[in-house]
């Protein structure tokens, strides 16, 4: 009798467990299957399983490339898949299949992660570059676990670290002669300037005059962007929308919106999840901001669209880590205050956005334009990615490398001087001198 | 008397591995690349299905008990085999997981699996005590301990099946 | 009671095996080979034909683009860092970019440019056949053919001598600080073009 009860219980309990998990598999929330938390890069979308996984097929390389291919291409990826595709590399690929992102970036195994979401040991360079000291005697005493951790080399993006670049910028001072960032270009005007009375909100709607006044003072009004341009979708039959989303902004600001969706602020929306909120962040956030949600207007303020606020105050309303909290004591902030108050020339101030949402120059033929990159992840980690696009607008290369290799200085938001010196520029210069001597002989 | 060894080693093993999580190697230049067990999908499948096999073989003790006529060998030798398999299973479990418990489904499976093994060690101990200190533990208590072992095992089939499913599904 | 126990047990076990079976069926499939009738090309003929195209294209680029625009007309420079310097890619880089692009499109063959005296050490011979081939073409200036096994796969490997076709080649290779030689001469072998054709699909 007892045995029968037990077997009944066993079957019931197993069916129950099975049914629960299979049910979860059919829903959007498959957390029950999550084997471990995702890395800092993916944790926001760790519950959007199908962003990466295909049922019974695992994680295809394409899933990684869908989001990261463009960036790797831009970075002139030093270890692109094609570098390894020749069969002559098969022996090395057996040690580490570097053709696949997931060989070095395994997800949901938090204990395996070192830095940059990498899950192979730091000295993995050894597999292929074990004999580097023979070609570069200066590297004899260096350990293989310092290749990518000492500010000298990156696996993918070496745009600011390759030897000839180091040499070209070897004699730059800490602060350049004209430390200025480029001026931002605005989208083309939709029409002639509009003023308070020109607004086209429907007559039957009660409109707060304060909002209208805010709008009337913006670039939007100046460039002919009326209420209906954002509040009514392009479809003429569409109704008035009280809270337009990034979709409305996209019609004029496509580049900015696509950057936003690709970065830490918009990646949840892009994956079909609820918007990112400080409560979901792993960085320290202001306790009072926990329930806020991120969209274009959370930083830009609907109607006001004040870029000065968006570049600094908006960030500090949520971000409360040491680097952010130290900012207002930094020389960068002093420059920003001077620019905003009119003492400093335009482009001389350094706000949060100057570095994290930098102005990027684009060029096609004789056309040149400058846009704000809203994907802050593009230059975030490894931080050497920031050197060319950001730091070198105002600083010399060697100084920039040193500053970014000093975690304490970063935490203090660059108050003071770098405490350590990365010798890569010196080594490049030394080799150039030796080469000259050799040629003279 | 094989039971004595089995029980003692099982208890020790569980205590030891519960305390120490074996970390991943921090270098690619180690002589024995032990962490390939947890890094390589192939090794994960080898150790995983080995665990499944061991678990199924352990189940044989139950049938030996209830289908007496169909089986050969004495019950106590079957029990010793069961104990050995249990301990071997724990060793394979270390190879499979490095004693990292994971999250959610994997966490549930690990807790049940380790708890069932502890229950098994307890049961083995209770039987050992029958040999060592006669009637120290009443027959009723021994049966209760064995029942605890069996009860903890109950959700295992579903959890293992779901674990295997999830590995190939995702 | 026993029957019930047996049934339940069989069901549980059956569940496992069904799952395992379903999983096992996840992979597989194959493709049929379609032999087109007509001339049969040997791997060697295929390699020779590929080499003719690869080498001609690169020579045209070297002479008619790089040499002409850089050295004769002095309109634009060719540079290793052609993106940063807004310059032309070097002929060897143009060659490698083509090889990379081809490798994305097909695995019926692959090709590379190697040398016993490479600027980038990753382009030094790695396999025994590459070493023999590069030594042979440096000595005799004639193609070298061999079979080799890499990662369990058999390849037909052809190595063709790669000579300095323009002054740009030797100028750069003789003056680059990473070049192990500074005495390359125009028309002489600097390395080899290696073409590989897999003979086994495994």
């Amino acid at each position: 009798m007892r045995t029968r009860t037990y077997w009944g219980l066993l079957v019931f309990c197993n069916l129950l467990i099975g049914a629960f998990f299979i049910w979860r598999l059919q829903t959007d929330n498959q957390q029950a299957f999550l084997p471990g938390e995702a890395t800092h890069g993916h944790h926001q979308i760790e519950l959007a399983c199908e962003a990466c996984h295909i049922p019974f097929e695992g994680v295809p390389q394409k899933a990684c490339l869908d989001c990261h291919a463009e960036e790797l291409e831009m970075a002139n990826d030093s270890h692109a898949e094609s570098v390894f595709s020749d069969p002559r590399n098969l022996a090395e690929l057996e040690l580490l299949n570097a053709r696949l992102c997931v060989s070095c970036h395994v997800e949901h195994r938090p204990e395996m992660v070192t830095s940059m979401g990498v899950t192979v040991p730091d000295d993995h360079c050894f597999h292929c570059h074990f004999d580097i000291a023979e070609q570069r005697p200066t590297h004899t005493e260096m350990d293989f676990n310092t290749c990518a951790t000492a500010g000298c080399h990156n696996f993918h993006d070496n745009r600011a670290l390759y030897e000839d670049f180091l040499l070209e910028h070897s004699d730059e001072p800490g602060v350049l002669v004209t430390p200025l960032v480029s001026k931002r270009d605005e989208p083309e005007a939709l029409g002639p300037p509009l003023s308070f009375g020109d607004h086209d909100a429907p007559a039957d709607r009660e409109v707060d005059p304060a909002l209208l006044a805010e709008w009337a003072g913006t670039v939007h009004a100046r460039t002919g962007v009326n209420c209906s341009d954002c509040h009514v979708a392009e479809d003429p039959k569409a109704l008035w929308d009280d809270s337009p989303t990034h979709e409305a902004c996209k019609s004029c600001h496509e580049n900015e919106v696509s950057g936003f969706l690709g970065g830490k602020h918009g990646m949840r929306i892009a994956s079909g999840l609820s918007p990112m909120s400080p409560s979901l962040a792993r960085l320290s956030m202001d306790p009072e901001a926990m329930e806020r949600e991120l969209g274009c207007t959370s930083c830009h303020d609907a109607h006001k669209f004040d870029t000065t606020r968006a570049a600094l105050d908006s960030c500090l309303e949520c971000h409360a880590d040491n680097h952010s909290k130290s900012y207002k004591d930094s020389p960068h902030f002093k420059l920003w205050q001077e620019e905003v108050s009119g003492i400093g020339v335009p482009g001389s101030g350094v706000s949060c956005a100057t570095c994290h949402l930098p102005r990027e120059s684009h060029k096609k033929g004789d056309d040149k334009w400058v846009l704000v990159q809203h994907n802050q992840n593009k230059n975030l980690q490894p931080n050497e990615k920031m050197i060319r696009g950001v730091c070198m607008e105002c600083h010399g290369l060697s100084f920039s490398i040193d500053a970014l290799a000093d975690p304490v200085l970063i935490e203090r938001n660059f108050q003071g001087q770098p405490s350590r010196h990365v010798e890569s520029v010196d080594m490049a210069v030394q080799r150039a001198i030796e080469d000259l001597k050799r040629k003279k002989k | 008397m094989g039971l004595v060894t089995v029980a003692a080693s099982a208890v020790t093993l569980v205590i030891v591995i519960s305390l120490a999580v074996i970390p991943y190697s921090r270098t690619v230049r180690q002589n024995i690349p032990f962490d390939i067990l947890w890094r390589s999908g192939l090794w994960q499948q080898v150790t995983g299905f080995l665990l499944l096999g061991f678990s199924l073989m352990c189940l044989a003790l139950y049938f030996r008990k209830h289908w007496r006529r169909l089986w050969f060998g004495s019950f106590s030798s079957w029990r010793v085999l069961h104990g050995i398999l249990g301990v071997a299973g724990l060793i394979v479990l270390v190879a499979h997981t490095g004693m990292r418990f994971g999250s959610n489904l994997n966490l549930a499976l690990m807790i049940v699996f380790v708890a069932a093994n502890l229950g098994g060690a307890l049961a083995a101990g209770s039987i050992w005590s029958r040999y060592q200190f006669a009637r120290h533990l009443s027959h009723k208590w021994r049966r209760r301990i064995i029942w605890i072992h069996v009860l903890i095992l109950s959700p295992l089939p579903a959890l293992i099946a779901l674990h295997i499913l999830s590995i190939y599904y995702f | 009671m026993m029957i019930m126990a047996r049934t339940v047990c069989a069901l549980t076990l059956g569940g496992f095996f069904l799952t395992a079976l379903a999983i096992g069926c996840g992979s597989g499939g194959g493709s049929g080979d379609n032999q087109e009738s007509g001339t049969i090309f040997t791997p060697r003929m295929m390699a020779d034909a590929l080499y003719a195209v690869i080498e001609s294209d690169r020579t045209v680029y070297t002479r008619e683009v790089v040499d002409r625009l850089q050295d004769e007309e002095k309109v634009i420079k060719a540079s290793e860092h052609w993106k940063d310097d807004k310059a032309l890619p070097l002929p060897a880089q143009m060659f490698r970019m083509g090889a990379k692009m081809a490798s994305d499109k097909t695995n019926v063959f692959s090709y590379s440019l190697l040398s016993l005296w490479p600027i980038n050490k990753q382009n030094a011979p790695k396999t025994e056949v590459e070493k023999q081939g590069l030594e042979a073409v440096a000595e005799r200036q004639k193609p070298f053919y061999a079979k080799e096994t890499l990662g369990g796969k058999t390849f037909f490997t052809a190595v063709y001598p790669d000579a300095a076709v323009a002054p740009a080649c030797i100028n750069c290779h003789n003056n680059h600080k990473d070049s192990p030689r500074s005495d390359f001469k125009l028309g002489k072998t600097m390395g080899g073009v290696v073409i590989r054709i897999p003979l086994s699909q495994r």
Side-chain angles (χ1 to χ4, degrees):
Chain A
M1 192 57 217
R2 212 171 165 190
T3 320
R4 186 181 289 180
T5 320
Y6 170 70
W7 278 107
L9 185 81
L10 182 126
V11 173
F12 179 72
C13 146
N14 278 282
L15 284 178
L16 205 67
I17 295 171
F20 170 76
F21 277 91
I22 300 296
W23 166 60
R24 287 320 247 177
L25 210 53
Q26 313 301 318
T27 65
D28 285 340
N29 186 347
Q30 301 174 359
Q31 181 166 10
F33 286 95
L34 196 72
E37 60 180 21
T39 56
H40 61 80
H42 292 144
H43 78 97
Q44 288 189 24
I45 55 164
E46 68 183 4
L47 291 182
C49 308
E50 273 157 32
C52 305
H53 296 267
I54 295 180
F56 295 113
E57 284 179 35
V59 178
Q61 176 78 348
K62 187 181 169 295
C64 313
L65 295 180
D66 278 348
C67 294
H68 298 284
E70 193 197 327
E71 203 184 330
L72 287 167
E73 171 90 31
M74 292 278 292
N76 198 14
D77 187 3
S78 313
H79 292 84
E81 192 186 341
S82 52
V83 170
F84 303 99
S85 50
D86 197 290
R88 67 198 299 265
N89 299 311
L90 282 171
E92 279 137 345
L93 289 178
E94 274 173 20
L95 294 169
L96 183 66
N97 187 356
R99 279 177 304 188
L100 299 177
C101 305
V102 293
S103 299
C104 299
H105 298 282
V106 180
E107 267 302 351
H108 307 300
R109 307 277 281 269
E111 304 91 347
M112 224 195 244
V113 182
T114 55
S115 58
M116 310 302 146
V118 173
T119 47
V120 287
D122 284 339
D123 61 352
H124 58 270
C125 311
F126 177 81
H127 283 314
C128 297
H129 302 283
F130 57 91
D131 57 354
I132 190 68
E134 287 169 28
Q135 299 149 34
R136 292 277 191 279
T138 44
H139 287 48
T140 310
E141 294 297 311
M142 295 176 189
D143 195 16
F144 281 94
N145 59 20
T146 62
C147 309
T149 56
C152 302
H153 303 284
N154 282 334
F155 189 82
H156 297 294
D157 186 346
N158 289 290
R159 276 175 294 178
L161 302 171
Y162 69 81
E163 193 175 352
D164 287 345
F165 188 80
L166 298 175
L167 207 52
E168 195 184 327
H169 298 273
S170 58
D171 53 359
E172 289 169 347
V175 179
L176 302 183
V177 184
T178 49
L180 296 175
V181 295
S182 323
K183 191 181 170 297
R184 194 164 41 85
D185 284 310
E186 287 154 8
E188 268 178 53
L190 288 188
L194 302 167
S195 59
F196 193 94
D198 297 326
H199 81 86
D200 66 354
D204 58 338
R205 291 195 77 84
E206 219 173 280
V207 185
D208 182 355
L211 291 184
L212 280 179
E214 279 180 3
W215 161 76
T218 60
V219 183
H220 277 161
R222 189 154 47 78
T223 53
V225 180
N226 215 323
C227 309
S228 62
D229 288 310
C230 305
H231 284 282
V232 183
E234 275 175 27
D235 179 3
K237 277 179 279 176
L239 296 171
W240 184 267
D241 183 358
D242 263 336
S243 325
T245 63
H246 63 277
E247 290 292 339
C249 309
K250 206 164 79 176
S251 48
C252 297
H253 303 279
E254 198 182 348
N255 187 291
E256 287 79 359
V257 172
S258 98
F260 164 73
L261 293 175
K264 300 263 188 192
H265 286 161
M267 66 192 286
R268 279 182 62 90
I269 300 180
S271 299
L273 299 167
S274 63
M276 181 57 184
S277 157
S279 61
L280 300 168
R282 285 194 184 166
L283 294 175
S284 306
M285 296 285 160
D286 191 315
E288 284 177 23
M290 285 303 168
E291 297 316 313
R292 295 184 62 179
E293 285 192 338
L294 263 157
C296 304
T297 53
S298 38
C299 302
H300 286 282
D301 278 340
H303 304 105
K304 223 177 189 173
F305 296 104
D306 177 0
T307 47
T308 308
R309 202 186 92 75
L312 169 62
D313 295 321
S314 296
C315 314
L316 295 181
E317 277 170 18
C318 297
H319 287 271
D321 53 284
N322 288 342
H323 174 75
S324 304
K325 287 198 287 194
S326 309
Y327 169 74
K328 290 202 166 170
D329 298 319
S330 74
H332 284 158
F333 178 61
K334 200 162 162 265
L335 290 167
W336 178 251
Q337 277 182 310
E338 286 173 5
E339 181 184 334
V340 170
S341 64
I343 303 170
V345 291
S348 61
V350 185
S351 66
C352 307
T354 309
C355 305
H356 294 290
L357 293 97
R359 295 172 183 186
E360 285 182 349
S361 301
H362 301 259
K363 190 175 176 242
K364 198 167 197 175
D366 290 334
D367 282 344
K368 284 181 193 170
W369 64 100
V370 175
L371 295 174
V372 173
Q373 175 55 266
H374 279 65
N375 178 353
Q376 68 289 85
N377 200 40
K378 277 216 160 155
N379 71 9
L380 206 57
Q381 280 191 324
N383 64 18
E384 291 89 359
K385 278 155 84 178
M386 203 177 262
I387 294 175
R388 269 186 81 155
V390 174
C391 309
M392 288 180 70
E393 295 268 307
C394 306
H395 295 283
L397 175 62
S398 188
F399 176 85
S400 305
I401 293 177
D402 291 350
L404 289 177
D406 184 344
V408 178
L409 187 66
I410 293 172
E411 190 158 313
R412 290 165 47 83
N413 213 312
F414 305 107
Q415 295 170 54
Q417 295 294 313
S419 65
R420 55 172 296 212
H421 176 55
V422 179
E423 287 175 4
S424 32
V425 172
D426 312 337
M427 284 160 72
V429 171
Q430 186 58 34
R431 249 171 57 85
I433 294 170
E434 279 165 17
D435 186 54
L436 273 179
K437 278 186 197 159
R438 188 170 59 91
K439 275 176 193 155
K440 270 186 191 163
K441 273 185 201 168
Chain B
M1 274 305 92
L3 265 180
V4 179
T5 345
V6 170
S9 52
V11 172
T12 329
L13 194 66
V14 169
I15 291 168
V16 167
I17 59 190
S18 301
L19 290 174
V21 173
I22 303 170
Y24 289 99
S25 169
R26 285 278 169 237
T27 171
V28 298
R29 287 169 288 171
Q30 76 274 45
N31 292 327
I32 304 159
F34 62 92
D35 59 348
I36 196 161
L37 286 170
W38 312 307
R39 289 184 185 274
S40 126
L42 179 70
W43 274 105
Q44 286 281 286
Q45 292 182 70
V46 169
T47 52
F49 282 107
L50 210 58
L51 269 178
L52 176 64
F54 280 13
S55 307
L56 290 174
M57 275 148 71
C58 280
L59 204 65
L61 187 74
Y62 179 88
F63 296 105
R64 173 62 186 81
K65 192 168 180 180
H66 293 277
W67 294 343
R68 250 157 284 183
R69 262 169 295 171
L70 292 176
W71 296 76
F72 52 89
S74 71
F75 183 71
S76 71
S77 48
W78 275 90
R79 205 163 48 191
V80 173
L81 184 70
H82 180 90
I84 292 170
L85 281 169
V87 176
L90 278 175
I91 295 166
V92 182
L93 185 72
V94 178
H96 189 61
T97 64
M99 292 319 283
R100 276 171 284 268
F101 276 58
S103 309
N104 301 302
L105 172 63
N106 287 1
L107 177 65
L109 177 56
M110 269 299 269
I111 290 174
V112 169
F113 203 91
V114 172
N117 273 282
L118 277 168
L122 209 62
S126 76
I127 291 158
W128 171 33
S129 71
R130 184 172 67 180
Y131 290 101
Q132 294 296 305
F133 329 99
R135 304 199 183 281
H136 177 74
L137 210 62
S138 71
H139 178 68
K140 204 173 153 194
W141 264 104
R142 266 198 303 276
R143 286 203 57 161
R144 274 184 191 163
I145 290 172
I146 292 169
W147 263 106
I148 291 171
H149 172 52
V150 173
L151 272 177
I152 301 172
L153 281 165
S154 311
L156 211 53
L159 291 176
I160 294 180
L162 286 163
H163 172 71
I164 298 173
L165 172 75
S166 75
I167 296 303
Y168 292 95
Y169 183 86
F170 288 103
Chain C
M1 197 172 79
M2 276 301 142
I3 294 167
M4 191 190 168
R6 202 186 316 178
T7 320
V8 169
C9 184
L11 279 175
T12 320
L13 289 179
F16 274 130
F17 288 121
L18 276 180
T19 319
L21 209 67
I23 289 154
C25 293
S27 58
S31 59
D33 273 31
N34 255 333
Q35 287 265 330
E36 278 174 44
S37 57
T39 323
I40 305 293
F41 279 88
T42 61
R44 181 170 167 162
M45 287 158 76
M46 182 174 152
D48 286 352
L50 286 167
Y51 172 70
V53 178
I54 296 165
E55 179 53 22
S56 306
D57 282 355
R58 208 255 316 244
T59 306
V60 168
Y61 179 71
T62 311
R63 285 191 185 145
E64 307 304 335
V65 180
V66 177
D67 246 27
R68 184 173 62 89
L69 296 179
Q70 177 182 253
D71 297 334
E72 291 166 28
E73 308 276 359
K74 299 199 185 298
V75 185
I76 185 169
K77 283 199 165 184
S79 157
E80 188 181 341
H81 312 293
W82 49 275
K83 259 189 201 168
D84 279 351
D85 297 347
K86 297 176 179 54
L88 294 171
L90 302 171
Q93 289 177 307
M94 177 268 193
F95 180 103
R96 284 184 213 292
M97 283 190 269
K100 281 180 184 178
M101 200 179 273
S103 79
D104 290 339
K105 292 176 180 158
T106 179
N107 52 11
V108 172
F109 79 105
S110 64
Y111 64 102
S112 51
L113 185 58
L114 307 178
S115 173
L116 294 168
W117 316 280
I119 288 180
N120 179 348
K121 299 297 172 286
Q122 296 296 322
N123 298 318
K126 260 183 197 171
T127 73
E128 195 48 42
V129 165
E130 283 176 357
K131 199 158 173 281
Q132 288 170 7
L134 288 174
E135 278 165 4
V137 298
E139 211 173 286
R140 289 190 293 278
Q141 312 215 347
K142 267 191 201 158
F144 169 94
Y145 304 99
K147 269 188 195 177
E148 66 180 330
T149 304
L150 300 170
K153 239 178 165 180
T154 315
F155 292 88
F156 174 79
T157 303
V159 185
Y160 300 90
D162 195 51
V165 292
C169 312
I170 49 167
N171 284 346
C172 180
H173 277 263
N174 284 342
N175 288 311
H176 199 287
K177 59 177 170 254
D178 286 328
S179 179
R181 266 181 69 175
S182 53
D183 57 349
F184 288 115
K185 291 192 175 66
L186 200 61
K188 291 278 154 53
T189 306
M190 297 176 71
V193 173
V194 179
I195 298 179
R196 279 198 180 84
I197 298 166
L199 298 175
S200 61
Q201 280 308 314
R202 206 179 58 80

